[in-house]
């Protein structure tokens, strides 16, 4: 064999060994989740796989309860249960002494089941301030929630929320406004929207019970003075009449008692002393 042919064969064998080793070192790890967002205590499935032909070890790392359902050389299928808060899952495989992993976030959600609306005060004068408060207990994740305060179909105020601690939270939105005459003809309500579309979920909408304001026209100051004066005079006349009636009744009673006393004494006198 010529030196050229031997050199070519050597280069080919070297390239084959190098390429084969590089394929093993360039392996990938994949993770496929049945759901990215789940209800508390709900179960879901996770599949971990790799492009390595003969992985040395592999699996799923999580603090949650897991059960291995099926497995082959390049993949493993798990059932995850008893989730109660947001968590991170890790799929990992080791190929030719090198380990790779892939992670995915799983979120827990609780849709808004109750929405409470409060109007304070419920009886307000035109031009005076009143407050609308919307409260939604036990809802998550808060960063996917929007509360809208409505007057009829008109949106008065919308509020979104930041990511909170991994626990059920209470969301509150407050809005203050000046009372107008037409406010008494509209219902006030609150709409809670939990939008989970970006996380592979759905949209949950819940309305509060509608409430109405009692609107009245404020009485001008001059009229108020007149009303107070008239009421005061009437009250004085009433008290005076009661006192006069009491005095006259006592005077009449004393006169009557005096007349009856003289007659009784006259009857008690003996006949001999009478004229």
């Amino acid at each position: 064999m010529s030196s050229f042919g031997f050199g070519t064969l050597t280069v080919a064998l070297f390239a084959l060994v190098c390429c084969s080793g590089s394929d093993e070192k360039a392996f990938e790890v994949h993770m496929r989740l049945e759901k990215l967002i789940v209800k508390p205590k709900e179960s879901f499935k996770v599949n971990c796989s790799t492009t390595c032909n003969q992985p040395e070890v592999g699996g799923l790392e999580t603090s949650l309860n897991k059960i291995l359902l099926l497995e082959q050389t390049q993949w493993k299928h798990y059932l995850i249960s008893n989730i109660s808060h947001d968590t991170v899952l890790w799929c990992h495989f080791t190929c030719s002494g090198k380990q790779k992993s892939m992670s995915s976030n799983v979120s827990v959600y609780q849709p808004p089941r109750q929405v409470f609306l409060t109007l304070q005060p419920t009886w307000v004068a035109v031009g005076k301030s009143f407050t609308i408060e919307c409260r939604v207990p036990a809802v998550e994740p808060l960063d996917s929630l929007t509360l809208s305060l409505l007057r009829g179909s008109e949106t008065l105020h919308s509020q979104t929320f930041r990511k909170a601690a991994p626990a059920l939270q209470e969301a509150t939105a407050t809005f203050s406004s000046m009372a107008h005459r037409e406010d008494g003809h509209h219902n006030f309500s609150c709409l809670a929207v939990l939008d989970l579309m970006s996380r592979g979920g759905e949209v949950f909408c819940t309305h509060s019970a509608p409430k109405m304001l009692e609107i009245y026209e404020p009485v001008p100051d001059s009229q108020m003075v007149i009303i107070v004066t008239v009421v005061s005079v009437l009250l004085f006349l009433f008290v005076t009449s009661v006192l006069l009636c009491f005095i006259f009744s006592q005077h009449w009673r004393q006169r009557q008692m005096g007349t009856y006393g003289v007659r009784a004494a006259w009857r008690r006198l003996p006949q001999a002393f009478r004229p």
Side-chain angles (χ1 to χ4, degrees):
M1 181 180 294
S2 65
S3 59
F4 176 78
F6 178 78
T8 302
L9 179 60
T10 303
V11 172
L13 290 174
F14 179 76
L16 180 61
V17 172
C18 291
C19 292
S20 176
S22 63
D23 287 340
E24 291 297 320
K25 292 181 180 179
F27 74 100
E28 296 179 353
V29 174
H30 301 285
M31 173 184 285
R32 187 172 68 253
L33 285 80
E34 183 182 22
K35 299 176 180 179
L36 292 176
I37 186 161
V38 297
K39 292 182 179 179
K41 309 300 181 182
E42 188 176 5
S43 300
F44 60 98
K45 296 175 181 178
V46 180
N47 183 275
C48 296
S49 62
T50 179
T51 57
C52 179
N53 293 325
Q54 294 294 329
E56 299 161 14
V57 67
L60 175 68
E61 292 298 326
T62 177
S63 60
L64 304 175
N65 295 338
K66 64 179 180 180
I67 299 175
L68 180 60
L69 300 177
L70 294 170
E71 68 173 326
Q72 293 291 335
T73 303
Q74 293 180 280
W75 57 266
K76 297 177 183 290
H77 203 57
Y78 294 90
L79 177 67
I80 308 298
S81 60
N82 200 34
I83 185 171
S84 59
H85 56 271
D86 294 357
T87 189
V88 180
L89 304 179
W90 294 85
C91 283
H92 64 88
F93 285 93
T94 301
C95 187
S96 298
K98 183 177 181 180
Q99 185 185 64
K100 282 191 175 183
S101 62
M102 182 178 184
S103 64
S104 181
N105 295 317
V106 179
S107 301
V108 175
Y109 77 94
Q110 187 70 264
R113 302 189 184 280
Q114 294 178 306
V115 181
F116 300 101
L117 181 75
T118 303
L119 298 177
Q120 185 65 33
T122 58
W123 196 62
V124 60
V126 173
K128 297 298 182 180
S129 176
F130 69 97
T131 300
I132 312 170
E133 181 185 76
C134 179
R135 184 171 59 87
V136 183
V139 60
E140 61 176 332
L142 283 183
D143 56 345
S144 297
L145 178 70
T146 301
L147 297 183
S148 298
L149 302 176
L150 308 175
R151 183 183 65 178
S153 58
E154 176 189 0
T155 300
L156 299 177
H157 175 70
S158 291
Q159 184 169 331
T160 56
F161 301 87
R162 294 181 178 179
K163 183 69 174 178
L168 293 179
Q169 300 289 316
E170 179 175 276
T172 303
T174 305
F175 179 73
S176 296
S177 178
M178 302 296 290
H180 301 84
R181 292 182 181 87
E182 58 270 18
D183 288 337
H185 305 290
H186 296 281
N187 286 325
F188 289 85
S189 62
C190 178
L191 172 63
V193 178
L194 188 68
D195 188 354
L196 304 176
M197 295 290 288
S198 61
R199 307 184 187 206
E202 53 186 300
V203 179
F204 298 90
C205 300
T206 306
H207 274 92
S208 69
K211 291 189 176 182
M212 294 192 70
L213 277 176
E214 294 289 339
I215 304 295
Y216 67 93
E217 293 285 348
V219 179
D221 293 339
S222 58
Q223 293 185 11
M224 182 62 69
V225 172
I226 295 173
I227 292 174
V228 171
T229 303
V230 171
V231 171
S232 300
V233 171
L234 292 175
L235 181 61
F236 173 76
L237 292 176
F238 173 75
V239 173
T240 302
S241 63
V242 170
L243 290 175
L244 289 176
C245 288
F246 177 75
I247 294 171
F248 288 146
S249 65
Q250 292 296 317
H251 181 69
W252 178 82
R253 182 180 179 185
Q254 290 178 0
R255 292 183 60 185
Q256 289 294 104
M257 290 299 294
T259 303
Y260 292 151
V262 172
R263 290 179 179 178
W266 176 262
R267 291 193 186 97
R268 287 195 298 271
L269 284 174
Q271 190 68 29
F273 293 98
R274 295 181 183 180

